[in-house]
Amino acid sequence: MQVLSVTPEIFPLIKTGGLADVTGALPIALAGKGVAMRTLVPGYPQVMEAFKKKKPVHHYPLLQGGKASVHAVQIAGLDLFVLDAPHLFDRPGGPYGNAAGADWPDNWRRFAGLSQAGGDIAGGAISGYQPDIVHAHDWQSAMTLAYMRYGKAVGTPSMITVHNLAFQGQFGAGIFGELGLPAAAMALEGVEYYGGVGFLKAGLQAAWAITTVSPTYAQEIRSPEFGMGLDGLINMRSVDLYGIVNGIDTEIWNPETDKHLVSNYTAKTLKARHPNRTAVEDRFNLDRDDSPIVCVISRLTWQKGMDILAAAVDGIVARGARLAILGSGDAGLEGALLAATARHRGRIGVVIGYDEALSHTMQGGCDAIVIPSRFEPCGLTQLYGLRYGCVPVVARTGGLADTIIDANEAAVSAGVATGFQFAPADSGALLHAIRRLVEAHANPTIWTSMQRQGMNADVSWDKSAQKYLELYRLLLSKRAV
């Protein structure tokens, strides 16, 4: 089975979040199941630098304002089509904006170009290659499905995965004339969205199937609270809506072999975690004692519930826990957490920024990780926590609800608990969960059981990849009808 994946990010070449982890891991997980996935990605500088031999398999004399070409390459075990369009992607900064964090004003053109190339490849533009299915990810590649719908690949099955519905790619109607779509596409059943052009909306409208990265999130986005203005359309397409929880790369995230850890360990050798705990205490200037260390590894944003955390930090310390926080984001939240560090020296430590190696050390040395997100399509941090015996404390939403078994009395008695859920997403509920955590941590039998139960959970891509395969097969059967 030939599957064309279209994405703005892919690990290990370009990453801003969990999207890249998914698009980088899924092809490898599917390879052992008879699926050959090729991924179309933008030719950002770091992508173009990753391969030397430039042998284009397709040329564009003009693609969204300039010359472009598509290269077929293999990098890091991934089969890629790279869209080399310097006028769109050869620029400093991140994939979506400049170094100061401002979005590029021509993002609509950049990702229309990516999607147009995706639609062309789906329609047979590259000699010798014809995908059976096209799988697009998020708003940046969603228009691929619109180009297919109004082009040569109208009969090719397609799927879109929504990693975060909050980011939709909405632009003014004035861009429509430059998209290269027929006039009929500027309609409610096409790309039109509240008088403008909606990239994600267009993909949701055109896709044969819609997936989200967890079953609970698939249901949440059908409501006005989580639907972000698209719940009406999603409910209309509900028969084609599926939730498939993400997995993680269990080779990279493996406490037995992780080179970022001071001390490696397994579920049977949990005492070997202790040197990692000491490393965390040293890095965050925390007191050395037996109280639990609760970590936060997150963007410091409203969505991630970091204002809820900031409001609860005094109470967390009062309940006997220490805090180690790694992240960056909203300046006000950064300031509030740094101020809490000044109030509670030795009990709270904050590192502003992101450090991949440190994040591994924290998972390997902290007792628990708190994730108070207001909404969370899937979340990967809690899966890393399970893998490393760093017990998750999560808001009961999206993928967090799907992947963590709450330590209620029945679950603890049955020996199946893996963490703590709380609802609603507010500081009071979070503090109640912290109190439960501190009490459980004081009981070595219960705590060790929870750690081992989490570490033995299957958080790999195997089950998820199988579900994608089953959905691909379903779509192919619909084409055959």
Side-chain angles (χ1 to χ4, degrees), residues 16 18 41 50 80 82 118 137 172-173 207 211 217 239 302 307 347 364 380 383 397 411 447:
T16 67
V41 295
L80 304 179
V82 178
H137 296 267
T211 69
Y217 191 60
V239 69
W302 179 88
D307 56 319
R347 309 309 295 174
L380 297 176
L383 301 181
T397 186
W447 193 257

Side-chain angles (χ1 to χ4, degrees), residues 106-125:
D106 63 343
N107 271 344
W108 67 269
R109 186 184 298 279
R110 300 170 74 228
F111 296 107
L114 175 69
S115 297
Q116 193 170 341
D120 290 341
I121 295 171

Side-chain angles (χ1 to χ4, degrees), residues 4 13 24 73 88 111 208 220 225 318 341:
L4 173 66
L13 296 176
V73 298
L88 301 178
F111 296 107
W208 290 34
E220 288 177 340
E225 181 182 0
T341 302

Side-chain angles (χ1 to χ4, degrees), residues 119-194:
D120 290 341
I121 295 171
I126 295 177
S127 177
Y129 180 75
Q130 180 60 58
D132 299 304
I133 293 173
V134 175
H135 188 167
H137 296 267
D138 274 355
W139 75 264
Q140 297 94 333
S141 60
M143 287 286 284
T144 300
L145 310 190
Y147 285 107
M148 291 172 61
R149 180 182 181 188
Y150 296 102
K152 295 180 180 179
V154 62
T156 300
S158 62
M159 176 193 304
I160 186 166
T161 294
V162 178
H163 297 263
N164 193 333
L165 195 67
F167 303 104
Q168 299 182 2
Q170 298 181 37
F171 304 98
I175 73 167
F176 179 77
E178 299 187 61
L179 293 177
L181 290 168
M186 191 58 180
L188 182 61
E189 65 274 13
V191 305
E192 187 274 334
Y193 186 55
Y194 289 107

